[in-house]
């Protein structure tokens, strides 16, 4: 769900509500917010801005998608996965 929300988020808007502790304390740079903006830029097809917002945003998307599929498979077929 978070990836879907990031896909529809306007990455240029700084007015979105956030629970970010860094932003609440007045620190302007937050690696987590940068990652979210990077993923949003990536979904909007803006590769250069994505890399500028956070260099690991491009790598984070396939890792997150893989993990979602892995957890979904574990939830749907718990007996078939060997550890």
């Amino acid at each position: 769900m978070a990836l879907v929300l990031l896909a529809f988020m306007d990455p240029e808007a700084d007015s979105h509500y956030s629970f970010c502790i860094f932003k609440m304390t007045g620190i302007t740079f937050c690696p987590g917010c940068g990652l979210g903006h990077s993923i949003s830029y990536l979904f909007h097809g803006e590769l250069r801005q994505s890399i500028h917002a956070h260099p690991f945003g491009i790598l984070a998307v396939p890792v997150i998608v893989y993990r979602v599929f892995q957890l979904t498979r574990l939830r749907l077929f718990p007996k078939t996965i060997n550890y």
Side-chain angles (χ1 to χ4, degrees):
M1 183 57 136
L3 286 177
V4 172
L5 292 175
L6 286 172
F8 289 107
M9 179 183 100
D10 179 12
E12 297 292 330
D14 266 345
S15 62
H16 67 279
Y17 185 74
S18 175
F19 289 112
C20 179
I21 294 172
F22 291 109
K23 290 199 182 216
M24 288 180 185
T25 58
I27 299 171
T28 58
F29 175 75
C30 171
C33 293
L35 188 62
H37 284 274
S38 176
I39 292 170
S40 183
Y41 279 124
L42 186 64
F43 281 133
H44 285 92
E46 299 176 13
L47 187 62
R48 182 171 291 170
Q49 288 89 345
S50 175
I51 293 169
H52 181 70
H54 198 290
F56 292 125
I58 295 169
L59 181 63
V61 173
V63 170
I64 293 169
V65 169
Y66 172 75
R67 186 65 179 150
V68 166
F69 282 119
Q70 188 181 39
L71 291 173
T72 302
R73 189 181 70 195
L74 178 65
R75 184 76 153 169
L76 293 176
F77 309 106
K79 303 280 187 201
T80 60
I81 298 175
N82 297 324
Y83 292 100

